[in-house]
Amino acid sequence: MQRTIFEQDHEAHRETVREFLAREIEPNYEQWEADRLIDRSAWLAAGKSGIVGLAVPEEFGGSGVTDFRFRYVVAEEIARTATTSFGSGLALQDDIAIPYIANLGTHEQKQRWLPGMAAGELIGAIAMTEPGTGSDLQGIKTTAVRDGDDWVINGQKTFITNGIHSDVVIVVARTDPNAGSRGFSLLVVERGMPGFSRGRKLHKVGLAGQDTAELVFEDVRVPAANLLGAEGRGFVHLMENLPLERISIAVNAIAAAKAAYRWTRDYVFERKAFGKPIGDLQNTRFALAEMLTEIEVTESHIDRCVLALNADELTALDASKGKWWASELQKRVVDRCVQLHGGYGYMMEYPIGRAYVDSRIQTIYGGTTEIMKEIIGRDIAAG
C-alpha cells in the first residue's frame, strides 16, 4: 500500500538529515558509545545543519516549522543508522524541552533560551522522576519555596535524559504542599546556579552514549522570572504536553521496528544454512510476513496520529494508545530479528544488537505500558 504522509519538502529534509548523519554522527558514534557520552560537538553540528530546533519560531533563531512530519523523518533516519543514543537526546530537546518553553515561556524567557537551543549551544532537560517516584508524579517531593524575588529548590531527580550536558533544566517542584495536584509548578534551573549539581551519570542497559543522570538541588535560588507557565499549574502543563511526548516515542518506536525488519530481511537472504539462504526457509518467511504486516498496520495508525497532532486534534488518550502499542511492537520485532540473525544478532557490531539493548526502555519511559492501559481503561469505564 502506497504511503502518502510525506511530501516533497519532507523528502528533501530527509536528504539533509541523511547527509548530516553520514558526515557528523556515524563516523564518531562507536567511540561515543564506548565513552558513554555523545560529544557536545554533535549538538552544535545539528544546530548548524538545521536538524535541531526546527519548531523554534523564526524570531528566536529557528525555522518556525511545527509540522511534526519533519521530526518523523529525523526519527526514521536515526533508526536506519542505529544512532539511537544521539536521537534520544535530540528527541528530548525537540519534543519536550523546546515545546515547553515555546508554548509556556514569556517573551523574555524565549529570547533568553530558545536561540541557544535552536543552535545546539544550549541543551535542555526536564526533571520529573525522583528516586522514590516513577509514573506517580503526584508523589514528587522536590520543593520550591518562595523567598522574596526567588524560589529556593530542594530535592533530587533521577533518570534525567540529557542530565550531564543540560544547560536548561525544567524542574517539576511542589510549590504548595497543601494544594494536591494544584500544588506543582515548573521552574527553570540553569547550569552554574549555586547548589545545582549532577550526581551519577547512570550506567544503562542500552542507549550507552545518551547521558542520563541524577540531579541534585540543594537550596538552589532560582529567580521568580524563571517560573515557566503559571504557578500551581505545573501538573496541568505536564498533561498538556503528553500527546506530543508520547507520540514522539511512538514515532521512534515504529521507525526502529521498521529499520530492524529491513536489516533482517536483507541479512536472511545473504546468510546460508543447509546450502541455501535462511530466507528460503518457511519459518523465516512466515516471521518476515508477520513482522511486515504488523509494522505496516501500526505505521498507518501512527501516521494518522502525526497528522492529528499537526491539526491539534491528537488527544492524550489516542497518544497513549499509539505509545504502548508501537513500543511493544518495537520490542517484539527487534527480539525476533535478533533470533533470525543467530549468533551475530548478539554482537554489538551489528546494528540489530544495538537496537536490541536500546529498545527495552521504550515501554517504560514516557509512561509505562501498564500506565497507558490504565489511562485507556479508565476512559472505557467512564463510558
Side-chain angles (χ1 to χ4, degrees):
M1 187 178 296
Q2 184 68 32
R3 194 176 177 209
T4 60
I5 187 170
F6 296 123
E7 299 172 8
Q8 186 174 348
D9 287 349
H10 305 111
E11 296 303 337
H13 188 59
R14 186 185 302 279
E15 291 305 312
T16 299
V17 175
R18 188 167 289 190
E19 191 276 332
F20 162 77
L21 292 171
R23 183 185 70 248
E24 302 288 351
I25 306 301
E26 291 180 81
N28 302 303
Y29 191 74
E30 186 174 345
Q31 185 60 54
W32 290 339
E33 285 279 276
D35 294 341
R36 294 180 46 239
L37 189 66
I38 301 293
D39 194 85
R40 287 188 73 110
S41 63
W43 289 87
L44 296 172
K48 289 179 182 177
S49 299
I51 306 301
V52 67
L54 204 65
V56 171
E58 290 185 54
E59 63 177 310
F60 301 115
S63 301
V65 178
T66 56
D67 181 351
F68 197 75
R69 288 177 292 180
F70 287 97
R71 283 285 302 125
Y72 206 160
V73 165
V74 174
E76 290 186 336
E77 291 306 307
I78 284 173
R80 181 185 62 81
T81 55
T83 53
T84 321
S85 288
F86 172 69
S88 178
L90 198 72
L92 190 288
Q93 177 96 332
D94 269 354
D95 303 340
I96 300 179
I98 285 176
Y100 269 99
I101 294 171
N103 296 333
L104 299 172
T106 64
H107 187 273
E108 186 275 334
Q109 289 173 336
K110 294 176 186 178
Q111 202 165 43
R112 183 152 40 118
W113 297 316
L114 288 180
M117 297 178 86
E121 296 167 358
L122 294 180
I123 298 174
I126 185 163
M128 288 189 278
T129 306
E130 297 183 357
T133 65
S135 297
D136 180 16
L137 295 179
Q138 294 199 49
I140 286 173
K141 295 179 181 177
T142 296
T143 60
V145 178
R146 188 66 183 261
D147 183 25
D149 292 332
D150 296 332
W151 289 93
V152 181
I153 302 179
N154 281 282
Q156 297 180 38
K157 300 290 182 176
T158 193
F159 306 147
I160 307 306
T161 302
N162 295 344
I164 297 296
H165 279 328
S166 56
D167 305 289
V168 177
V169 183
I170 302 166
V171 179
V172 184
R174 190 180 291 275
T175 48
D176 185 343
N178 302 312
S181 63
R182 296 183 180 87
F184 298 97
S185 301
L186 307 181
L187 292 149
V188 179
V189 175
E190 299 173 75
R191 176 181 290 275
M193 286 184 167
F196 171 39
S197 62
R198 328 275 164 158
R200 293 183 302 144
K201 179 178 170 297
L202 301 174
H203 196 170
K204 307 185 297 297
V205 170
L207 298 173
Q210 192 280 310
D211 59 317
T212 304
E214 298 171 329
L215 303 181
V216 180
F217 307 92
E218 298 176 301
D219 292 327
V220 181
R221 300 191 76 88
V222 177
N226 280 29
L227 177 71
L228 188 62
E231 181 181 343
R233 298 273 293 175
F235 200 71
V236 172
H237 295 325
L238 293 175
M239 296 304 106
E240 290 169 344
N241 200 65
L242 283 178
L244 173 56
E245 179 182 351
R246 287 174 177 162
I247 210 60
S248 170
I249 296 171
V251 160
N252 281 278
I254 191 60
K258 195 172 182 179
Y261 165 80
R262 286 175 170 172
W263 301 327
T264 305
R265 177 200 60 195
D266 294 344
Y267 177 82
V268 298
F269 288 105
E270 295 168 359
R271 175 84 167 132
K272 290 187 176 181
F274 309 109
K276 62 180 180 180
I278 61 174
D280 288 341
L281 300 171
Q282 186 183 67
N283 178 72
T284 304
R285 292 201 307 269
F286 278 16
L288 292 175
E290 290 165 5
M291 288 189 288
L292 179 60
T293 302
E294 285 190 288
I295 288 168
E296 290 189 349
V297 170
T298 302
E299 183 179 65
S300 294
H301 179 74
I302 300 303
D303 287 357
R304 287 182 59 201
C305 287
V306 168
L307 294 176
L309 179 71
N310 280 350
D312 198 26
E313 295 173 354
L314 183 67
T315 65
L317 179 66
D318 285 336
S320 296
K321 294 173 184 175
K323 192 271 179 186
W324 89 259
W325 179 262
S327 61
E328 290 286 350
L329 172 67
Q330 175 190 359
K331 195 168 67 173
R332 193 163 64 246
V333 165
V334 170
D335 185 73
R336 296 187 78 179
C337 288
V338 168
Q339 187 73 19
L340 290 174
H341 274 77
Y344 290 104
Y346 204 61
M347 300 296 109
M348 292 299 283
E349 63 205 69
Y350 277 70
I352 193 63
R354 296 204 302 270
Y356 181 70
V357 294
D358 288 348
S359 68
R360 189 58 189 88
I361 188 60
Q362 288 279 84
T363 60
I364 297 173
Y365 62 9
T368 64
T369 291
E370 292 74 20
I371 292 296
M372 298 301 97
K373 291 179 179 179
E374 178 65 17
I375 290 169
I376 299 162
R378 285 180 183 178
D379 181 75
I380 293 170

